[in-house]
Amino acid sequence: PSPPGEESRSLDSLESFSNLHSCCPSSSELNSDADEAVVAGASSGGPVPEPEGDRPAAGSQLLSASKERFPGQSVYHIKWVRWKEENTPVITQNENGPCPLLAIMNVLLLAWKIKLPPMMEIITAEQLMEYLGDYILDAKPKEISEIQRLNYEQNMSDAMAILHKLQTGLDVNVKFTGVRVFEYTPECIVFDLLDIPLYHGWLVDPQVADIVKAVGNCSYNQLVEKIISCKQSDNSELVSEGFVAEQFLNNTATQLTYHGLCELTSAVQEGELCVFFRNNHFSTMTKYKGQLYLLVTDQGFLTEEKVVWESLHNVDGDGNFCDSEFHLRPPSDPETVYRGQQDQIDQDYLMALSLQQEQQNQEINWEQIPEGISDLELAKKLQEEEDRRASQYYQEQEQAAAQVQQVQGAASPASARQSGSNERKRKEPREKEREKEKNSCVLL
């Protein structure tokens, strides 16, 4: 419970969301700005998009008009889908990156806990924060004890301090023992306050004893620190344990294991709306007839009204697209699929793979080897360098052999001509001797 002076302060700070109406644009203002842009285009002789016929052109013009009107603000397109026989908005993502605000808002929108004006086409991040703040105020429990009230207000105060991070990213630190097990951070309060389950699927298979022992009950950050510490240890058992833990992180770089996928399928309730964390990205997830689905929020699918969900049935990320009723619905434009999937690939994962590849291709710099390195680690580095040099040596030998064959092939016609000339020179004396013997007389 917070001190008495903090109670009113937390409530005042939370109620400040109501003041966002004065600084944030409303949907009518955004749409009116788009209409003005269309009218201006018509008066200047430019092309005017039809209201319903050219939806992508209207969307792009609407987005450009809103960005000019509200510079520096993140603007998101809204995709309206038919969800459980009701027209429901979905906030799409125009840039790749961790944005838990969209995942949380889409959960509340699909649950009809927050409603947007009908046919609203774009919305700013500030407006999303406004809707979220109003919901937190309205969701405050009414009939609770004094201790529960103080605890709730303290949670609201803590959540207020990190709400701005929802637009960029949250510090979420997974543990490898359960799909809902995270290291406690202030960021987790937001999900508890909104009563939105947060899941992940990066689990250790309990049947692999050595990995279970190496990882233990560590969170991701703790495991990284443990690997660094084990590498610098003189104990060979600790060095081996650190190597096993590092191999686990490398082999599960997608941050989803098949054991974790099975546990996810079992833990998520049928029809539950939740948030799924993977590769520093937050996605809206649900379960339908025992199958997990992720909400498709990439802006590339804005005009694909039938593409709403993507199945999560393997760790590779190649799911099947479905409509709002979970029927298979491939997109009309295949290029949109590849472009959309490529945009969703986490940039941190690609950077990690790039750094790993560069590290493998680098030569050992003996001056940069830390002092006190273990014999096992030093032996590994020496073996890697030896393998690299051996491969380079064999490549050079093959190139040299190929050059020799080319030189011999070029010289073979001349040598053939020379050998033919010598053969003719040897044949000429023998023919002259035979002619002389034929013409000579023999006296008996």
Side-chain angles (χ1 to χ4, degrees):
S2 59
E6 294 292 333
E7 300 174 14
S8 59
R9 188 184 312 171
S10 62
L11 289 177
D12 294 339
S13 59
L14 188 60
E15 290 173 354
S16 63
F17 275 109
S18 61
N19 298 326
L20 288 176
H21 289 281
S22 59
C23 62
C24 291
S26 63
S27 59
S28 60
E29 289 177 337
L30 291 175
N31 294 330
S32 63
D33 290 334
D35 296 338
E36 292 175 2
V38 174
V39 172
S43 61
S44 60
V48 179
E50 298 179 1
E52 297 294 337
D54 195 0
R55 179 75 62 175
S60 61
Q61 190 163 4
L62 195 65
L63 184 61
S64 61
S66 61
K67 286 186 176 181
E68 292 176 0
R69 173 75 168 126
F70 310 103
Q73 298 186 21
S74 299
V75 181
Y76 303 99
H77 278 282
I78 299 175
K79 178 180 179 179
W80 291 86
V81 299
R82 197 70 180 169
W83 171 245
K84 296 182 179 180
E85 302 301 327
E86 185 170 335
N87 209 23
T88 307
V90 171
I91 312 299
T92 61
Q93 191 166 353
N94 55 357
E95 294 178 357
N96 189 38
C99 194
L101 176 62
L102 301 188
I104 291 175
M105 283 297 298
N106 282 326
V107 168
L108 298 176
L109 289 171
L110 292 175
W112 303 315
K113 294 180 179 180
I114 293 180
K115 292 191 176 182
L116 300 181
M119 302 311 296
M120 187 177 183
E121 295 187 357
I122 58 174
I123 192 170
T124 65
E126 287 76 10
Q127 282 181 300
L128 292 175
M129 296 292 291
E130 174 190 342
Y131 280 107
L132 183 59
D134 291 340
Y135 172 75
I136 294 176
L137 282 174
D138 296 338
K140 179 181 177 182
K142 306 300 180 184
E143 298 179 358
I144 55 176
S145 64
E146 183 66 17
I147 296 178
Q148 291 175 335
R149 185 182 68 84
L150 293 176
N151 187 37
Y152 184 83
E153 291 178 357
Q154 180 62 42
N155 289 339
M156 283 198 304
S157 178
D158 295 339
M160 283 292 301
I162 55 93
L163 274 182
H164 65 281
K165 295 183 179 180
L166 292 177
Q167 301 183 49
T168 54
L170 294 179
D171 183 15
V172 177
N173 193 15
V174 305
K175 287 192 173 183
F176 307 95
T177 54
V179 293
R180 294 203 63 180
V181 182
F182 296 85
E183 184 181 27
Y184 176 79
T185 58
E187 284 79 355
C188 296
I189 297 178
V190 177
F191 297 94
D192 295 337
L193 191 65
L194 297 173
D195 195 23
I196 296 178
L198 177 63
Y199 293 94
H200 74 91
W202 201 359
L203 299 187
V204 172
D205 191 342
Q207 296 181 355
V208 186
D210 55 343
I211 299 180
V212 172
K213 179 182 177 182
V215 176
N217 195 36
C218 294
S219 65
Y220 173 77
N221 293 340
Q222 293 171 345
L223 186 60
V224 172
E225 295 176 357
K226 179 180 179 179
I227 292 173
I228 297 175
S229 176
C230 289
K231 284 185 174 181
Q232 299 175 353
S233 175
D234 295 333
N235 189 336
S236 59
E237 183 177 353
L238 290 178
V239 173
S240 177
E241 191 171 304
F243 176 75
V244 171
E246 186 178 22
Q247 286 296 110
F248 167 73
L249 294 183
N250 293 335
N251 295 336
T252 60
T254 59
Q255 298 186 8
L256 178 64
T257 62
Y258 280 105
H259 174 67
L261 186 59
C262 293
E263 291 294 316
L264 266 178
T265 307
S266 175
V268 178
Q269 300 298 318
E270 183 73 17
E272 180 181 16
L273 291 169
C274 54
V275 174
F276 177 59
F277 177 76
R278 179 187 183 187
N279 280 336
N280 204 27
H281 189 82
F282 296 83
S283 304
T284 303
M285 183 171 66
T286 191
K287 182 179 177 181
Y288 179 74
K289 292 185 177 180
Q291 174 65 52
L292 297 176
Y293 294 90
L294 301 177
L295 186 65
V296 178
T297 58
D298 189 88
Q299 187 175 305
F301 297 92
L302 181 63
T303 58
E304 298 285 346
E305 298 179 358
K306 297 299 183 181
V307 178
V308 180
W309 297 99
E310 182 181 5
S311 61
L312 179 65
H313 58 270
N314 58 37
V315 300
D316 299 325
D318 51 346
N320 299 319
F321 292 103
C322 305
D323 60 11
S324 59
E325 297 179 353
F326 303 98
H327 299 149
L328 288 178
R329 297 287 185 181
S332 57
D333 184 9
E335 291 296 328
T336 304
V337 179
Y338 302 124
R339 185 168 58 250
Q341 289 180 344
Q342 185 65 26
D343 291 341
Q344 288 295 332
I345 294 177
D346 180 68
Q347 300 299 323
D348 295 337
Y349 174 55
L350 295 179
M351 180 62 70
L353 292 180
S354 176
L355 294 176
Q356 183 180 3
Q357 186 67 25
E358 291 179 2
Q359 184 178 5
Q360 293 176 354
N361 296 334
Q362 286 179 350
E363 295 185 3
I364 294 182
N365 190 346
W366 298 100
E367 297 179 356
Q368 296 181 357
I369 294 181
E371 297 182 0
I373 187 172
S374 64
D375 295 339
L376 178 61
E377 194 68 15
L378 182 59
K380 291 179 182 177
K381 290 183 177 296
L382 290 173
Q383 185 62 44
E384 291 175 357
E385 178 65 10
E386 184 65 24
D387 294 341
R388 187 193 64 79
R389 292 180 177 177
S391 176
Q392 183 178 359
Y393 171 77
Y394 290 132
Q395 290 179 359
E396 292 176 354
Q397 292 295 320
E398 291 177 358
Q399 294 176 357
Q403 293 177 357
V404 170
Q405 291 180 357
Q406 292 178 356
V407 172
Q408 291 179 350
S412 59
S415 59
R417 290 192 297 269
Q418 185 176 4
S419 61
S421 176
N422 293 336
E423 185 68 21
R424 287 193 299 271
K425 290 181 180 179
R426 287 195 296 270
K427 288 181 178 180
E428 290 178 358
R430 287 198 296 270
E431 291 177 353
K432 291 181 179 180
E433 290 179 359
R434 290 195 190 96
E435 187 70 22
K436 183 178 181 181
E437 291 176 355
K438 186 183 297 183
N439 296 331
S440 60
C441 294
V442 180
L443 296 177
L444 297 176

